[in-house]
Amino acid sequence: MFSFLLIGTMKGKENSELNILAFSAFILLSWKPIYIYDVGFQLSYTAMLGIYLFYPFLKNVIISRYKIMQLIIEGSMVGIAAQITTVPLTLYYFHQFPNYFILTNVGMMFFAGVVLGLGLFFFAISWSSILAFVAGNLLKIGLIGMVFFVQWIDGIPFSVSTGFQLSFGLLCLIYLLLIILVYTSSTTIKTSVFIS
């Protein structure tokens, strides 16, 4: 999925992300149709769909004049956009909701950046066994920190709400309402909240 999106962006197809997303799903399902029943496949594609459909509206809801604060806000809005389309599936399959998903998203933005940077650094200097050893250990520490952070969030009281029971019909109705929301969203009034 990300390969197709990257290729599309490199070719100047920024405005056709949904087409690229649909094409990558089509290729994967043509190769292995059984993927349509895979929960990971469903969550990955619905998350990306949510980001493409809802993030453009959410990114300007709260605006800060401080760059770091604005990055945190925008990262949180990406997480919220993904949650909008993945929550129905999460409730349907796992019968639970992560209450601190925004806090988790902010922390994972930091750790994902660190781990990605260290991973790229590791591959860039892999020709040197000493530097690769150092970079590998730093990468290991970053991954351990990421796991520790997720476990810490999970250990906070009331981190997960459980007991949700969604029928397949209700799941379909929720997605139908989301489609209607997206379809009618171009006529809604856009407002922003500015914070210092």
Side-chain angles (χ1 to χ4, degrees):
M1 174 173 58
F2 289 110
S3 299
F4 281 113
L5 292 171
L6 181 62
I7 291 168
T9 303
M10 287 169 48
K11 290 187 172 286
K13 306 289 185 186
E14 292 89 353
N15 296 323
S16 60
E17 294 98 348
L18 292 175
N19 290 335
I20 295 168
L21 192 66
F23 181 69
S24 69
F26 174 77
I27 294 295
L28 284 173
L29 293 174
S30 297
W31 179 52
K32 278 197 177 177
I34 197 75
Y35 278 166
I36 194 71
Y37 299 107
D38 183 81
V39 178
F41 176 87
Q42 293 173 18
L43 287 171
S44 294
Y45 276 89
T46 54
M48 291 302 297
L49 192 62
I51 290 168
Y52 286 131
L53 294 177
F54 292 103
Y55 178 68
F57 302 104
L58 293 173
K59 70 179 178 179
N60 295 320
V61 170
I62 301 174
I63 299 171
S64 173
R65 61 182 175 160
Y66 301 107
K67 287 187 177 182
I68 293 176
M69 188 65 177
Q70 188 61 32
L71 285 173
I72 292 172
I73 291 167
E74 289 177 5
S76 299
M77 291 304 174
V78 168
I80 291 170
Q83 286 290 111
I84 290 171
T85 50
T86 57
V87 162
L89 283 176
T90 304
L91 299 179
Y92 179 72
Y93 285 117
F94 306 112
H95 316 293
Q96 61 185 20
F97 178 78
N99 294 324
Y100 304 131
F101 73 91
I102 293 179
L103 179 60
T104 306
N105 287 341
V106 171
M108 291 306 287
M109 279 172 33
F110 169 76
F111 281 107
V114 169
V115 168
L116 182 61
L118 288 172
L120 292 172
F121 178 66
F122 175 77
F123 284 112
I125 51 91
S126 60
W127 51 268
S128 169
S129 59
I130 295 171
L131 291 175
F133 176 78
V134 172
N137 282 312
L138 290 173
L139 181 58
K140 180 181 175 182
I141 291 168
L143 290 169
I144 290 170
M146 182 185 289
V147 171
F148 177 79
F149 175 74
V150 171
Q151 289 174 340
W152 175 72
I153 295 289
D154 189 47
I156 298 175
F158 310 109
S159 63
V160 176
S161 296
T162 59
F164 296 96
Q165 298 294 328
L166 254 67
S167 66
F168 183 73
L170 185 55
L171 178 71
C172 293
L173 179 62
I174 290 170
Y175 279 114
L176 177 62
L177 291 173
L178 286 174
I179 291 168
I180 293 169
L181 178 65
V182 169
Y183 183 74
T184 59
S185 64
S186 60
T187 60
T188 58
I189 299 170
K190 298 176 179 64
T191 59
S192 298
V193 175
F194 294 90
I195 60 171
S196 296

